[in-house]
Amino acid sequence: MTDALLEVNGLRTVFDTRAGTVCAVDGVDATVRRGECLGVVGESGSGKSVTFASVMGLVRPPGRIEAGRILFEGRDLRALSPRQMRAIRGRDIAMTMQDALTALNPALTVGEQMAEMMEAHDESLPASRGARRRAIAERSAEMLGLVGIPSAGERLRQYPHEFSGGMRQRIMIAIALASRPKLLIADEPTTALDVTIQAQVLELITDIRAELGMSVVLITHDLGVVAEHCDRVMVMYAGQVVETGPTADVIGAPRHPYTKGLLASIPRLALRGQRIRPIEGQVPELIDLPPQCRFYSRCPERGPECLRPVEMHDAGEGREARCVRVVPEMVS
Amino acid sequence: MTGSAPLLEVDKLVKEYRGGRRLADRLTGRPETVVRAVTGVSLSIARGEIVGLIGESGCGKSTLGRSILRLHEPTSGRVTFDGTDVTALAAPAMKAMRRRMQIIFQDPYASLNPRRTVGEIVGLPLRLHGLARSPAEVRDLVAAMIEKVGLKSAHLDRYPHQFSGGQRQRIGIARALVSHPEFIVCDEPVSALDVSIQAQIIQLLTDLKSEMGLTYLFISHDISVIGYLSDRVAVMYLGELVEFGPVEDVLARPRHPYTQSLMSAVPEVDRPGHRHRVRLEGDLPSPLAPPPGCRFHTRCPFATDICRREAPRTETVGPGHTAACHRLSENLSLLDEEQA
Amino acid sequence: MSATEEIIAAGPAEPARETPFRRNMRAFAANPLALGSAVVVGLFILMAIFAPLVAPHDPADTDLLRRLQPPAWLPGGDWAHPLGCDALGRDILSRIIYGARVSIFIGAAVVLVATTIGILAGLAAGYLRGWVDVAISRFVDILLGFPYLIFAIGLMAMMGPGLGNIILALVYKEWVIPCRVVRGETLAARELEYVEAARAIGASRGYIMLREILPNILSPVIVVSTIRMAHVIILEASLSFLGLGVQPPTASWGAMVADGRAFILQAWWVSTFPGVAILLLVLAINVASQGLRDAFDPRFHE
C-alpha cells in the first residue's frame, strides 16, 4: 500500500458514438509501485492505451471518464484543476507515444522542445536568464547523451525530420525524461521500430529506470517484450483487466484462458511442425455487452457458470485473474 | 530441397529507383539519385516449399517480392518460373502468367478497393482470366473460396469497411487464391494484425498451402513467424542477401553477424533475461549512399579493414547454407553458447 | 469450431456502418448555410428549366411604349412588369428568367466537358507517368500561363460568337483545373495496395484507371467542379458583357448588364437586376461548394 506510486480504482472511460456508448475501459484497477516496471498487454480495443490516457487526463470528448479514482502519490488526479493537472503531467508523469513523428512538433528543433519542457516544469533551474539557458542546454545535451544520441550539442539544433525512426523515439523519451518524472508511461514505444532498434530502445528505458529510480508502465501487445523487461504484468481484454501478477509467474503458468490463448498464439521456431492453437473468433464490440464473462464466446473452457459478471479472483502469490475457474468451489 | 528443378529461380535480380533529373540538375551537372533497393539477389524456391525472407524496414525485401511478380519492373536480372523466363514475357503472356503467381498484402485496409463488394473483389481474377463461363459460375466459385478462408457466402455483397482487420485479410487471401495460383508472395500478411488474429491467419495460410499445393515466398520482419513457418530462410540487409539456408541451420546456427544480431534482438517469452544481448550501434544506413565494402560494416562488431574496402563473396557454409561475410572462417559468434 | 463460425457469421457488431459518401452527405446537410445555398441553386435551375411557364412575358417582346419602365414599387411602374423594362421595352424579370438558361446551361456544359477531359488527361498523366505525364503536364503549365479571360476573348474573336463557340472557348482552358486535381489524386492512389493487387491479378491499365482508381478519387473532383461552375458563369457573363457571348435577342445576364450601361443614371434597374442575379447564383454556388468541400474533407470530421 505504502509503496504504491499510482493507484487506479474502478476506472470507467466511455466514448459516446452514434452507434451507442462504447465502454473502452470498464472497471479497471491498477497499481504501479515505486521503481517497478509494469507491463500492460492487450490487443487493439482492449483499453490498454485508453486506461493510461485517462490517468494522464488526456481523454477528450467524445470520450469521458465516467467513474473511478486515480491516486498519484495519494492525490486524486481527477479532483485536480486543469492547471494543476498540467503541472503534474510532464513533471511527475511523462508519456511517450507510439508514433514519434507526429508526437514531436515538426516546426521546433529538438533542443527547443526539450527547453520548453524544462521551462514549464523545472523549478530547480537558476533564476537568471543566462545561467538558466546554460543549465537547460547542459541538461538537454546530457539527456540526449543518456538516450544514446552522439554529438548531442549539434543534434539539439536539428529538427525531428532529420532523425531516423529509432532516433525520434529516443528523442521523445529524452524529452519525457528531461523533467525527471517519477512515472514514465511508454505507449507501444517500439511497435513502429525494427527489432534491432527496438532492442536498443527497450534497454535504454530499462537502464534509465534503474539510474533515475523511476517507475515505468510499458504498454505493448508483445508478450516477449513484457517477459524481458517488466516486473509485473497486467493483461487486458475488452476493457477489463483479466489477469495480473509477477511476469514470470503469469507467463510461466497463466491462469486466465485468454492469457493462455495469447501465449499459445505466438509462433515460435520451437513449435515448428505443430499446429498453433489460435484463439477463435474476435474481440467483441464494446457496445451493450451482455453481463457475462467477456471472453465467453472465444473461451475453450467456458461453462454455464460464466454467464454472469465475473470478478477478479485472488489466485495467490500476488496474482489475480478474472475467471471463475481460479476458485474451484465456484465451478459447479 | 529436392533434386527436381525449382519452381521459381531468381538470378542476380537488381531493382533501382531513379530519382529523375530535372533540367536544373542537368545544368548544374548534379548526378541523378539512384536508390539500389535490391542489388543482385539470387535464390530459388522449390515447389511446395515456404521460403522466409526476413530483414528490417528498408532492406528491400518487399521490393524483391514485387519485382519477382513484375509489379515493379526489375532493372536487371532474371526470374524463371516453372521453366519460363518471366522477365522476358510480353504483356499478354505476362497477364496469363499472373494467374499462376499471386500476392497477399500487408495492409488489410489499403489492399481492398473500398467501393467494391467482397464478391466483386474476389470475383475479379476469375472474370479477367475467363475462368468461369457465366456470372452464376463466378458467384459459385467465389462463394466456395470465401468459405474456404473462413467467411460466409452471405458476406459477398458487403463492402470491405464492414469487416475487421482479420476478416479483411481473409478476403485478400481469397482474392489471391481464387484463380488457383501455384506461387504466392506473402508480403508481411500478418504484421498489421493482433496476436490472436495473427495466429488464425498463419494457421489458415499453412492449411491452404497443403490443401492447394502452394509455394510461398513469405516476407516478414518477425523472426518468430518466419521460424515457425519456413522451410528455408533468406536474410536481407540493405538490398543484399547476407545469409540463406534451411531454417534450422540459419536460425539455430546463424553465421552472418547480422543474422546473429537479429536473433539476439528478438524478445521471447520462453527464456527471458538469460541472454547476452548484442547491441547493434546506430541505424540502418541510407540506401541512397550505401557504405562501401561490406554493407553491414558500419554496424558490425567484427568489422575489419577488408570489410570496409571489399564486398564479401557469398560462400557455402553448410549443406544448402550460404552466407556473405569476410570472416566466416573464423567462426565468430555474437551469441552465447547456451543460445546456439 | 462452432464458436468461430458463429462469430464470423455474425460479422462485426456494427453492420450498419455507413459508406464514406453517405457520411459526407450527412455532414453537408448538417450545415444550414450550405444547405440553404444548395436550395437557392436548385431554385435557379428549376427556374431555368421551366422558364416558359414561370416567365410572365416573352423575353423578346418589345414594347416601345414601356421603354425603361421602372420597377413596380417606383412611380411609373406596374406589377405587370415587376422589375421594370429595358431600353426596348422588354420585361426584365422575364429576361432574367430566360437568361438563367444561358448561364446555367453554359456553366454546366463547360464544367461537364472540361471535367471529362480533365479526368481522362489527369488519369493518364498520373497513372501512366513517363512521357505522357511530361507532355500533359507541360501543356497544362503553358495553358496556365495565359490569363483566362484574355485567352477566351482571343478565341472568341477568332471563332466568332455563338453558344457552341463560347463553350469551346471556355473548355479550352477549363479542363486544366480538374486535370491537375485528378493527376495529384491518381499519383497517390496508384501506390495503394488495392491498385497493386489489381495489377497483380492482371487487370489492364484502362481497367485500373477507370474502375479501380476513378471511383475513389471522384469526390474531390466533384467538389472542385462545382466551385469552377461559379467561375465559368462569371466568365460567360463577362464575354457576353463584351459582346462576344450569346448574340441578341437571346437573353443573357452579361449582355443585359452591358445593355443597361448607357442608361445607368436614368434607369439603374436595367443593369442592376441582372447583376444581382449573377451575384446571387454565383454566391449560392460558392457557399454550397464550400460546404461540400468541408463535408468531404476528412479533417473536418472529428
Side-chain angles (χ1 to χ4, degrees), chain B residues 141-185:
Chain B
L141 290 173
V142 168
M145 192 67 231
I146 271 295
E147 282 174 17
K148 209 175 217 169
V149 298
L151 297 172
K152 287 271 165 192
S153 51
H155 288 157
L156 289 187
D157 294 319
R158 293 201 192 164
Y159 287 89
H161 69 261
Q162 294 171 291
F163 294 89
S164 68
Q167 289 175 318
R168 295 172 58 116
Q169 204 54 298
R170 288 173 195 266
I171 298 169
I173 292 171
R175 169 178 59 193
L177 298 186
V178 73
S179 60
H180 286 269
E182 292 147 68
F183 170 67
I184 312 279
V185 172

Side-chain angles (χ1 to χ4, degrees), chain C residues 211-268:
Chain C
R211 303 291 309 276
E212 298 285 336
I213 296 180
L214 182 58
N216 285 295
I217 63 172
L218 218 46
S219 295
V221 179
I222 291 171
V223 170
V224 168
S225 294
T226 48
I227 296 175
R228 290 306 300 178
M229 183 149 164
H231 288 250
V232 170
I233 287 172
I234 290 181
L235 283 166
E236 180 275 322
S238 311
L239 286 177
S240 298
F241 179 85
L242 295 171
L244 292 167
V246 185
Q247 293 304 296
T250 312
S252 154
W253 293 348
M256 289 168 72
V257 174
D259 289 347
R261 257 180 322 168
F263 323 101
I264 193 76
L265 292 178
Q266 309 99 292
W268 54 265

Side-chain angles (χ1 to χ4, degrees), chain C:
Chain C
M1 212 57 212
S2 67
T4 327
E5 305 277 287
E6 201 177 279
I7 289 162
I8 291 175
E14 233 184 309
R17 263 179 262 185
E18 49 186 350
T19 63
F21 182 77
R22 288 191 56 178
R23 190 186 56 225
N24 292 339
M25 290 321 284
R26 213 171 32 76
F28 179 75
N31 177 347
L33 194 64
L35 194 63
S37 300
V39 170
V40 171
V41 176
L43 287 177
F44 265 102
I45 293 172
L46 288 177
M47 184 174 93
I49 292 171
F50 298 106
L53 301 176
V54 187
H57 302 276
D58 185 324
D61 262 1
T62 55
D63 181 353
L64 291 180
L65 292 175
R66 293 182 182 278
R67 275 189 87 235
L68 302 177
Q69 177 180 316
W73 59 91
L74 290 180
D78 66 51
W79 285 104
H81 301 276
L83 299 182
C85 295
D86 68 4
L88 296 176
R90 294 175 295 197
D91 179 45
I92 290 179
L93 178 63
S94 302
R95 289 184 68 74
I96 287 178
I97 291 172
Y98 273 87
R101 289 187 141 184
V102 171
S103 291
I104 290 172
F105 176 73
I106 290 180
V110 169
V111 165
L112 212 66
V113 176
T115 304
T116 309
I117 298 173
I119 284 176
L120 295 178
L123 277 173
Y127 187 72
L128 302 177
R129 306 297 313 271
W131 64 267
V132 180
D133 188 21
V134 173
I136 291 175
S137 298
R138 287 299 158 271
F139 189 42
V140 163
D141 289 343
I142 291 168
L143 284 181
L144 281 174
F146 290 102
Y148 203 152
L149 189 59
I150 295 176
F151 190 73
I153 290 171
L155 279 175
M156 289 304 293
M158 262 163 52
M159 299 187 296
L163 199 65
N165 286 351
I166 298 180
I167 294 175
L168 220 60
L170 294 177
V171 166
Y172 251 115
K173 209 181 145 178
E174 185 58 39
W175 68 274
V176 163
I177 283 126
C179 175
R180 295 177 98 203
V181 174
V182 170
R183 178 176 174 272
E185 295 284 330
T186 306
L187 280 178
R190 78 194 294 271
E191 303 300 330
L192 291 177
E193 283 185 344
Y194 66 80
V195 173
E196 225 161 16
R199 268 213 298 278
I201 290 166
S204 69
R205 294 188 288 194
Y207 183 94
I208 292 175
M209 283 190 270
L210 296 178
R211 303 291 309 276
E212 298 285 336
I213 296 180
L214 182 58
N216 285 295
I217 63 172
L218 218 46
S219 295
V221 179
I222 291 171
V223 170
V224 168
S225 294
T226 48
I227 296 175
R228 290 306 300 178
M229 183 149 164
H231 288 250
V232 170
I233 287 172
I234 290 181
L235 283 166
E236 180 275 322
S238 311
L239 286 177
S240 298
F241 179 85
L242 295 171
L244 292 167
V246 185
Q247 293 304 296
T250 312
S252 154
W253 293 348
M256 289 168 72
V257 174
D259 289 347
R261 257 180 322 168
F263 323 101
I264 193 76
L265 292 178
Q266 309 99 292
W268 54 265
W269 51 89
V270 182
S271 285
T272 306
F273 289 122
V276 168
I278 297 174
L279 179 78
L280 214 62
L281 179 59
V282 167
L283 193 68
I285 293 178
N286 272 335
V287 174
S289 56
Q290 295 272 353
L292 215 53
R293 194 195 62 198
D294 292 353
F296 276 76
D297 190 333
R299 280 170 296 181
F300 287 88
H301 303 300
E302 64 270 273

Side-chain angles (χ1 to χ4, degrees), chain A residues 43-44 164 166-167 170 194-200 203-204 207 221-225 227-229 251 262-263 265-276 278-282 298, chain B residues 56-57 164 167 194-200 202-203 207 221 224-225 227-231 247-248 251 258 261-262 265-273 275 277 279-283 299:
Chain A
E43 300 181 273
S44 37
S164 68
M167 287 274 202
R170 278 180 269 174
D194 285 317
V195 266
T196 55
I197 311 293
Q198 173 179 330
Q200 292 173 8
E203 257 156 49
L204 169 76
D207 291 351
H221 65 275
D222 189 334
L223 277 165
V225 167
E228 295 204 347
H229 296 276
I251 287 178
L262 264 190
L263 282 160
S265 294
I266 303 173
R268 269 164 282 184
L269 185 58
L271 297 179
R272 281 178 62 74
Q274 302 170 32
R275 288 182 68 90
I276 33 178
I279 306 172
E280 308 285 357
Q282 26 190 323
R298 305 174 77 185
Chain B
E56 297 181 275
S57 53
S164 68
Q167 289 175 318
D194 273 323
V195 183
S196 69
I197 307 298
Q198 179 178 332
Q200 292 176 1
I202 288 174
Q203 201 53 58
D207 290 349
H221 66 272
S224 320
V225 172
Y228 173 75
L229 276 173
S230 319
D231 300 306
V247 74
E248 292 88 352
L251 298 191
Y258 177 63
S261 60
L262 269 186
V266 185
E268 273 194 48
V269 289
D270 293 340
R271 39 178 186 198
R275 137 166 24 190
R277 170 148 293 151
R279 241 197 220 211
L280 276 191
E281 294 304 323
D283 291 316
R299 298 172 76 193

